Amino acid sequence: MLRLLLVLPLMLASTAFAQPTLPLIPLPTSVEVRSGTFAFSPATRIVVAPGDAEAERIAGMLTGWLGGEGEKRPRVSATTIVPDSSIVLTRDASIVGDEAYVLDVSQGRIELRASTGAGLFYAAQTLRQLFPPSVERAALRYRTFDIGAVRVEDAPRFVWRGMMLDVARHFFGVGDVKQVIDLAARYKLNVLHLHLTDDQGWRIEIPGWPLLTSVGGATQVGGGPGGFYTLDDYDEIVRYAAERYVTVVPEIDVPGHVNAAAVAYPFLSCADEPPTPYTGIQVGFSALCTEDERTYDWIGDVVRTMAQHTPGPYLHLGGDEAHATDEAAYVAFMTRVGQIVADNGKRMMGWDDIAKLPHADLPSGAVAQVWRAQIAATRERVVQSTANVLLSPSTNAYLDMKYDDDTSIGLKWAGTTTVEQAYEWNPETLIEGLPADRLLGIEAPLWTETVATFDDLTFLVLPRLPALAEAGWTAQHQRTWSNFRARLASHGAFWTSAGLTFYRSPLVDWQIAR
């Protein structure tokens, strides 16, 4: 059998004819393209080992991508007998790495191998990108098609590959959040950071503090109806994410960004009367009453509730743009609340402002999320701190920035960000002097001041989220804009078939009609 060993970047060639670039994003560690095809048909079976419930659940998702509810789907079989032309999910202890996998497509079968469920899930997502885009359209699912023979070996660059969704400025319900999780997981992101509270709205139920949601959650930017998650809603989001190997990190932003909380409970801002509900987009004007012990009773209940309902290790305290709190009060408050987080068995996260806490006051394992990497003083402070670091540079990773001056939604305070700018940066060299063992990875925030609908959301996220996902997954020496651009072109057809709105960047030769 003729085998073509590819030297990345992933441009496919044959001595007989030229083939298109495989549309794999993020780019895998290695790819070997072989001759022949696997013929998918109604006779294809998906096979897992008996007793492997996790693999069976992943197989169920895979068959769901090929056939919608109420349709005939490829059958999942838990058996040691593998029929011809099967897709087989196998545990393989020789594959080292919590998220590593091997995908092997041959004429006779497709094998997905990994030592963990996460690895099998990512192998399934890679296989999904080899399906024709038409399978994203329910009416065209479960038809016969061919998949070219290929062997993929893969593992991620960083342990943290995240997306942040701001549901405080504009509220998005559980169904929308699930769609965001699916989109993030499709590109092998493994963290969803939910910005749950801000001046415009409080979005999470806290027992004993009912006005936080009934009053503080009743509006949003522009004066819309707002909304909030019950704890059952939040549990459902966490469960759904975990099934897709996505960890949820909740953010309660303090001591600034608290107008909605103070509207509900005025003592939180040292007032007798509530402030006016805020529906604008300015920042830095609100502050908690850090000298009132009742504030710490309140934050203790909030932290305890979120810790009890969040299986992941981190709670995000925000800590940014607290311009109405003097520095001494800020340091004292964040130090005390950081200890409350630790006392509840979680690790503290915050925006890069928390790096100004003295070393002795920064909790062990704390994470500073860097968004102002363009500022020398921020970089220096982060390097000198003891915090682990998550990179979200506003000039590259903020999904709410406009693509160009003519983009209909988005902001421009950090400049405009093309898909090429979202792709062309190196996390490992962004902050000079930062030890490699303190860099956890990257996260792409979507702030929602101008994002009122799900179509608005996907318009700003696509195509930049795949670019940032590749920055988090693929080794730097394998990454080139020209090759990514060629692979990205095919994804427009997937998104179109799935009914997703996206920005048709003029930098990409989109392949839509497929």
Side-chain angles (χ1 to χ4, degrees), residues 16 49 158 222 381 408:
F158 294 118
R381 187 167 62 231
S408 58

Side-chain angles (χ1 to χ4, degrees), residues 414-488:
T416 58
T417 304
T418 66
V419 63
E420 182 176 9
Q421 290 169 308
Y423 185 82
E424 288 275 45
W425 64 289
N426 183 356
E428 291 168 290
T429 60
L430 187 69
I431 301 180
E432 185 178 357
L434 180 68
D437 62 357
R438 286 176 51 203
L439 177 55
L440 296 180
I442 72 168
E443 190 170 280
L446 179 67
W447 303 100
T448 60
E449 287 94 336
T450 68
V451 181
T453 68
F454 192 77
D455 282 346
D456 291 343
L457 186 156
T458 59
F459 177 81
L460 289 176
V461 165
L462 300 173
R464 290 181 293 197
L465 188 68
L468 291 157
E470 184 152 306
W473 181 278
T474 304
Q476 188 66 28
H477 72 271
Q478 295 180 239
R479 299 175 58 230
T480 66
W481 162 248
S482 61
N483 184 256
F484 174 76
R485 174 181 174 273
R487 285 177 284 119
L488 182 63

Side-chain angles (χ1 to χ4, degrees), residues 395 398-419 421 450 459-460 464 503:
T395 52
Y398 268 38
L399 297 168
D400 54 302
M401 293 299 104
K402 289 176 176 280
Y403 292 97
D404 57 32
D405 289 338
D406 297 326
T407 305
S408 58
I409 58 174
L411 301 172
K412 293 201 308 179
W413 59 261
T416 58
T417 304
T418 66
V419 63
Q421 290 169 308
T450 68
F459 177 81
L460 289 176
R464 290 181 293 197
Y503 174 67

Side-chain angles (χ1 to χ4, degrees), residues 94-266:
S94 70
I95 297 174
V96 179
D98 289 343
E99 298 174 303
Y101 68 90
V102 171
L103 171 64
D104 205 336
V105 180
S106 64
Q107 287 180 285
R109 69 171 60 176
I110 296 175
E111 290 187 279
L112 293 73
R113 295 190 289 115
S115 60
T116 67
L120 289 176
F121 179 76
Y122 293 137
Q125 292 289 9
T126 297
L127 176 61
R128 186 181 184 186
Q129 292 184 7
L130 298 175
F131 296 162
S134 60
V135 301
E136 300 292 332
R137 196 174 307 160
L140 299 179
R141 286 177 178 164
Y142 205 66
R143 46 188 284 183
T144 300
F145 57 84
D146 292 337
I147 302 173
V150 64
R151 178 183 173 86
V152 175
E153 297 183 11
D154 206 5
R157 177 184 189 181
F158 294 118
V159 297
W160 190 304
R161 307 174 307 279
M163 176 183 172
M164 190 215 79
L165 177 61
D166 169 17
V167 296
R169 270 53 176 267
H170 279 101
F171 181 68
F172 288 88
V174 173
D176 287 339
V177 175
K178 286 182 176 181
Q179 289 189 73
V180 169
I181 292 168
D182 284 333
L183 188 58
R186 181 168 191 144
Y187 291 102
K188 301 183 175 68
L189 299 183
N190 62 358
V191 176
L192 176 66
H193 167 182
L194 283 177
H195 184 79
L196 290 168
T197 70
D198 216 297
D199 291 312
Q200 298 85 353
W202 183 280
R203 307 300 183 203
I204 185 68
E205 175 188 10
I206 304 296
W209 301 91
L211 300 184
L212 287 174
T213 48
S214 64
V215 175
T219 191
Q220 60 186 9
V221 167
F228 67 93
Y229 306 118
T230 67
L231 287 174
D232 286 343
D233 291 335
Y234 181 74
D235 290 344
E236 174 66 11
I237 290 168
V238 169
R239 180 200 62 78
Y240 190 87
E243 289 177 349
R244 288 146 183 83
Y245 303 93
V246 172
T247 298
V248 173
V249 175
E251 180 183 351
I252 305 297
D253 203 348
V254 290
H257 294 272
V258 292
N259 195 78
V263 170
Y265 296 98

